[in-house]
Structures are given as structure tokens and as C-alpha cells.
Amino acid sequence: MSFQDIFKSNFLENVNAVTLLDMGIALVLAFTLGLFIFFVYKKSYSGLMYSSSFATTLIALTMITTLVILAITSNIILSLGMVGALSIVRFRTAIKEPMDIAFLFWSIAVGIVLAAGLIPLAVIGSLFIGIILIVFSNQKNIQKPYILVVHCDNTDHEQMAMEFIQRHVDACSLKSKSIKPDCIELNYEVRLKQQETLFINELSKKEGILYTVMVSYNGDYMN
């Protein structure tokens, strides 16, 4: 064993495993495509509460994934240890919007593809995905569904309310019905005619109608 072998460091040997040029190109491209994903998310978001922190996370996630994959591809031993370390990570944050999952996978996929050196695939694929998401997010549904809750005092007024609602909406479907003393609660899914809601005011003034309310409906229904 020589004097140099005593001070030999495996850590220092890995310093040049990835060149500065490769790191610079990968990180700049990751930031650029992450920024593109950020703007697509902001443009196509259709939920009720936009989260700027989640949008910024998409940029960071793209760059972090690129760094991790660069490290893995540069050292086979490191790759085995990295897989073991990542296998114990657990993420508990709830995803409120289904589309958020697609954007998370998109950011991770771009980071992986960039670090693998498949730059045209990452760029062209991201442009194609972004265009598709923006185009389909702008397709608004004219007949937005609503839930109409009606309280009436007996079955005769229940029938009258149903006939009145059917005359003033494009579609009407009974979702649930509950009976209480001196009160019948009806929950309808309705699709309005040209977003006309004035018939609710007329319905609330009719005899036997105790209470009416209409809320936006996202399509999910729980019994």
C-alpha cells in the first residue's frame, strides 16, 4: 500500500463523475421545462382554490428529479443505495384535484428523461402534453350540473315541486329523498336552461315549499 492509497478518498473520486457542463445543461433545461409545466398548470387550472405553492413545487420537482437521476446514472453503486433510501420515503399530502396527479407525474417524467439525455423527447413531449391540456381545459361544459335541495311538507307538494322543476330545467334526476316529521327533503341533480336560476325564486314562494337551495355539483355523489 502506497502513501497515496492511505489518503485515497472514494468521495473525492466521485467529484468528476458528472461534468459541470452536463449539470449546467440538465439543470437549465429542467428549470425551463419546469417553468413551462408551471404556466400550463396555471393556465389550465379549473378548480376552486388555486395553490401557487403547488405550482412552484412542479418546477422544484423537475429539477430535483433531474439531480437524482444524474447521480444514479453516474454511479451504479450509488443507484442501489438511492433506490433503497427512496423506498422508505412516504408522502402524506392529500391530492385534492385529480389533474394535480398528472402534473406531478409529468414533472417527475421530465426530470428522468432529461437526466437520461433524451432532450428531444423531453422537450417535444412536454410541448405536446401542454398543448393538449390547454386545449381540453378550455372546453367548458355549458350544461353545468347543480344539486337542488327542496323541503316540502307533504307528498302532494312534492309532486307539484317535481313537475315545476322538470318544466324549467333541461334535465332532472332525483338523487336522494329523506322523510322527517312534517318535512320531505328532496335532492335533485339538475341541468339548467342557459344558466337560468330565477325559477328557484318562484318555487320557494309556492305553497307547501318550506326551503330551497341550489349548489354547484362536481359530478361526485355519495349516498
Side-chain angles (χ1 to χ4, degrees), residues 162-185:
M162 180 181 296
E163 294 174 354
F164 180 85
I165 294 170
Q166 290 175 341
R167 290 196 305 268
H168 290 83
V169 299
D170 280 339
C172 177
S173 175
L174 181 64
K175 285 293 183 181
S176 69
K177 175 180 178 180
S178 60
I179 310 297
K180 301 176 183 178
D182 299 325
C183 179
I184 301 175
E185 180 180 312

Tab-separated table of all heavy atoms in Angstrom, residues 162-185:
chain	number	residue	atom	x	y	z
A	162	MET	N	-91.793	18.615	-8.136
A	162	MET	CA	-91.103	17.859	-9.171
A	162	MET	C	-91.553	18.284	-10.565
A	162	MET	O	-90.733	18.487	-11.470
A	162	MET	CB	-91.339	16.356	-8.974
A	162	MET	CG	-90.654	15.483	-10.026
A	162	MET	SD	-90.966	13.726	-9.786
A	162	MET	CE	-90.176	13.462	-8.200
A	163	GLU	N	-92.867	18.449	-10.758
A	163	GLU	CA	-93.382	18.864	-12.063
A	163	GLU	C	-92.920	20.271	-12.417
A	163	GLU	O	-92.582	20.555	-13.572
A	163	GLU	CB	-94.911	18.790	-12.056
A	163	GLU	CG	-95.437	17.367	-11.930
A	163	GLU	CD	-96.952	17.328	-11.784
A	163	GLU	OE1	-97.556	18.438	-11.667
A	163	GLU	OE2	-97.535	16.228	-11.762
A	164	PHE	N	-92.876	21.144	-11.433
A	164	PHE	CA	-92.431	22.521	-11.665
A	164	PHE	C	-90.954	22.549	-12.082
A	164	PHE	O	-90.565	23.261	-13.016
A	164	PHE	CB	-92.653	23.351	-10.401
A	164	PHE	CG	-92.224	24.786	-10.526
A	164	PHE	CD1	-93.089	25.738	-11.063
A	164	PHE	CD2	-90.945	25.184	-10.129
A	164	PHE	CE1	-92.688	27.066	-11.190
A	164	PHE	CE2	-90.551	26.507	-10.251
A	164	PHE	CZ	-91.413	27.444	-10.787
A	165	ILE	N	-90.147	21.763	-11.376
A	165	ILE	CA	-88.708	21.734	-11.683
A	165	ILE	C	-88.475	21.176	-13.080
A	165	ILE	O	-87.671	21.716	-13.851
A	165	ILE	CB	-87.957	20.901	-10.622
A	165	ILE	CG1	-88.020	21.592	-9.259
A	165	ILE	CG2	-86.505	20.677	-11.038
A	165	ILE	CD1	-87.519	20.742	-8.111
A	166	GLN	N	-89.174	20.108	-13.431
A	166	GLN	CA	-88.994	19.485	-14.745
A	166	GLN	C	-89.359	20.420	-15.894
A	166	GLN	O	-88.776	20.316	-16.975
A	166	GLN	CB	-89.809	18.192	-14.825
A	166	GLN	CG	-89.262	17.077	-13.947
A	166	GLN	CD	-90.151	15.842	-13.947
A	166	GLN	OE1	-91.330	15.904	-14.310
A	166	GLN	NE2	-89.589	14.722	-13.526
A	167	ARG	N	-90.292	21.325	-15.660
A	167	ARG	CA	-90.687	22.276	-16.711
A	167	ARG	C	-89.623	23.360	-16.933
A	167	ARG	O	-89.592	23.969	-18.001
A	167	ARG	CB	-92.028	22.942	-16.362
A	167	ARG	CG	-93.228	22.025	-16.443
A	167	ARG	CD	-94.522	22.829	-16.481
A	167	ARG	NE	-94.647	23.741	-15.360
A	167	ARG	CZ	-95.256	23.434	-14.215
A	167	ARG	NH1	-95.783	22.229	-14.060
A	167	ARG	NH2	-95.335	24.323	-13.238
A	168	HIS	N	-88.789	23.614	-15.940
A	168	HIS	CA	-87.872	24.755	-16.005
A	168	HIS	C	-86.397	24.374	-16.172
A	168	HIS	O	-85.548	25.258	-16.173
A	168	HIS	CB	-88.030	25.622	-14.750
A	168	HIS	CG	-89.329	26.353	-14.688
A	168	HIS	ND1	-90.486	25.763	-14.231
A	168	HIS	CD2	-89.662	27.629	-15.038
A	168	HIS	CE1	-91.477	26.637	-14.280
A	168	HIS	NE2	-91.010	27.780	-14.761
A	169	VAL	N	-86.112	23.078	-16.283
A	169	VAL	CA	-84.714	22.656	-16.470
A	169	VAL	C	-84.623	21.713	-17.661
A	169	VAL	O	-85.632	21.158	-18.117
A	169	VAL	CB	-84.160	21.961	-15.202
A	169	VAL	CG1	-84.184	22.906	-14.010
A	169	VAL	CG2	-84.928	20.687	-14.890
A	170	ASP	N	-83.395	21.542	-18.159
A	170	ASP	CA	-83.173	20.624	-19.280
A	170	ASP	C	-83.195	19.172	-18.831
A	170	ASP	O	-83.650	18.296	-19.574
A	170	ASP	CB	-81.830	20.929	-19.954
A	170	ASP	CG	-81.936	22.108	-20.905
A	170	ASP	OD1	-83.065	22.426	-21.337
A	170	ASP	OD2	-80.897	22.718	-21.225
A	171	ALA	N	-82.672	18.903	-17.651
A	171	ALA	CA	-82.623	17.533	-17.139
A	171	ALA	C	-82.767	17.564	-15.630
A	171	ALA	O	-82.289	18.485	-14.963
A	171	ALA	CB	-81.325	16.847	-17.539
A	172	CYS	N	-83.425	16.554	-15.103
A	172	CYS	CA	-83.674	16.493	-13.660
A	172	CYS	C	-83.624	15.031	-13.219
A	172	CYS	O	-84.276	14.172	-13.822
A	172	CYS	CB	-85.032	17.111	-13.329
A	172	CYS	SG	-85.493	17.012	-11.582
A	173	SER	N	-82.844	14.773	-12.180
A	173	SER	CA	-82.722	13.408	-11.665
A	173	SER	C	-82.725	13.444	-10.147
A	173	SER	O	-81.981	14.213	-9.536
A	173	SER	CB	-81.424	12.767	-12.176
A	173	SER	OG	-81.224	11.497	-11.597
A	174	LEU	N	-83.585	12.618	-9.524
A	174	LEU	CA	-83.674	12.563	-8.074
A	174	LEU	C	-82.481	11.775	-7.518
A	174	LEU	O	-82.272	10.621	-7.873
A	174	LEU	CB	-84.987	11.901	-7.643
A	174	LEU	CG	-85.233	11.786	-6.132
A	174	LEU	CD1	-85.346	13.163	-5.503
A	174	LEU	CD2	-86.487	10.961	-5.852
A	175	LYS	N	-81.705	12.424	-6.661
A	175	LYS	CA	-80.531	11.795	-6.078
A	175	LYS	C	-80.820	11.147	-4.733
A	175	LYS	O	-80.310	10.076	-4.430
A	175	LYS	CB	-79.405	12.828	-5.916
A	175	LYS	CG	-78.718	13.207	-7.210
A	175	LYS	CD	-77.955	12.025	-7.767
A	175	LYS	CE	-77.194	12.377	-9.022
A	175	LYS	NZ	-76.468	11.209	-9.565
A	176	SER	N	-81.608	11.809	-3.911
A	176	SER	CA	-81.934	11.235	-2.612
A	176	SER	C	-83.241	11.836	-2.095
A	176	SER	O	-83.648	12.924	-2.506
A	176	SER	CB	-80.810	11.473	-1.592
A	176	SER	OG	-80.721	12.842	-1.251
A	177	LYS	N	-83.856	11.099	-1.193
A	177	LYS	CA	-85.112	11.550	-0.584
A	177	LYS	C	-85.124	11.088	0.858
A	177	LYS	O	-84.887	9.912	1.148
A	177	LYS	CB	-86.289	10.962	-1.347
A	177	LYS	CG	-87.644	11.276	-0.725
A	177	LYS	CD	-88.771	10.650	-1.552
A	177	LYS	CE	-90.129	10.908	-0.928
A	177	LYS	NZ	-91.227	10.311	-1.725
A	178	SER	N	-85.372	12.012	1.774
A	178	SER	CA	-85.437	11.665	3.193
A	178	SER	C	-86.730	12.214	3.792
A	178	SER	O	-87.173	13.302	3.428
A	178	SER	CB	-84.221	12.215	3.945
A	178	SER	OG	-84.165	13.630	3.847
A	179	ILE	N	-87.309	11.437	4.682
A	179	ILE	CA	-88.593	11.788	5.293
A	179	ILE	C	-88.380	12.132	6.760
A	179	ILE	O	-87.749	11.384	7.505
A	179	ILE	CB	-89.594	10.616	5.181
A	179	ILE	CG1	-89.669	10.100	3.738
A	179	ILE	CG2	-90.961	11.041	5.684
A	179	ILE	CD1	-90.183	11.117	2.756
A	180	LYS	N	-88.874	13.296	7.152
A	180	LYS	CA	-88.858	13.725	8.536
A	180	LYS	C	-90.281	14.109	8.931
A	180	LYS	O	-91.140	14.310	8.063
A	180	LYS	CB	-87.923	14.934	8.717
A	180	LYS	CG	-86.485	14.670	8.299
A	180	LYS	CD	-85.646	15.939	8.426
A	180	LYS	CE	-84.221	15.698	7.938
A	180	LYS	NZ	-83.395	16.937	8.014
A	181	PRO	N	-90.564	14.245	10.203
A	181	PRO	CA	-91.908	14.671	10.608
A	181	PRO	C	-92.271	16.027	9.989
A	181	PRO	O	-91.544	17.007	10.166
A	181	PRO	CB	-91.809	14.760	12.140
A	181	PRO	CG	-90.719	13.809	12.498
A	181	PRO	CD	-89.728	13.885	11.376
A	182	ASP	N	-93.332	16.033	9.209
A	182	ASP	CA	-93.835	17.251	8.563
A	182	ASP	C	-92.837	17.845	7.571
A	182	ASP	O	-92.899	19.048	7.279
A	182	ASP	CB	-94.194	18.324	9.615
A	182	ASP	CG	-95.287	17.853	10.569
A	182	ASP	OD1	-96.193	17.115	10.102
A	182	ASP	OD2	-95.223	18.206	11.750
A	183	CYS	N	-91.940	17.028	7.050
A	183	CYS	CA	-90.964	17.552	6.086
A	183	CYS	C	-90.432	16.425	5.203
A	183	CYS	O	-90.069	15.353	5.705
A	183	CYS	CB	-89.804	18.236	6.815
A	183	CYS	SG	-88.530	18.882	5.694
A	184	ILE	N	-90.412	16.673	3.913
A	184	ILE	CA	-89.813	15.763	2.936
A	184	ILE	C	-88.650	16.497	2.265
A	184	ILE	O	-88.853	17.562	1.687
A	184	ILE	CB	-90.837	15.308	1.879
A	184	ILE	CG1	-92.019	14.596	2.540
A	184	ILE	CG2	-90.181	14.392	0.843
A	184	ILE	CD1	-93.130	14.235	1.565
A	185	GLU	N	-87.474	15.930	2.385
A	185	GLU	CA	-86.293	16.550	1.783
A	185	GLU	C	-85.932	15.831	0.484
A	185	GLU	O	-85.736	14.611	0.463
A	185	GLU	CB	-85.101	16.493	2.741
A	185	GLU	CG	-83.831	17.121	2.152
A	185	GLU	CD	-82.651	17.069	3.095
A	185	GLU	OE1	-82.839	17.437	4.278
A	185	GLU	OE2	-81.564	16.665	2.658
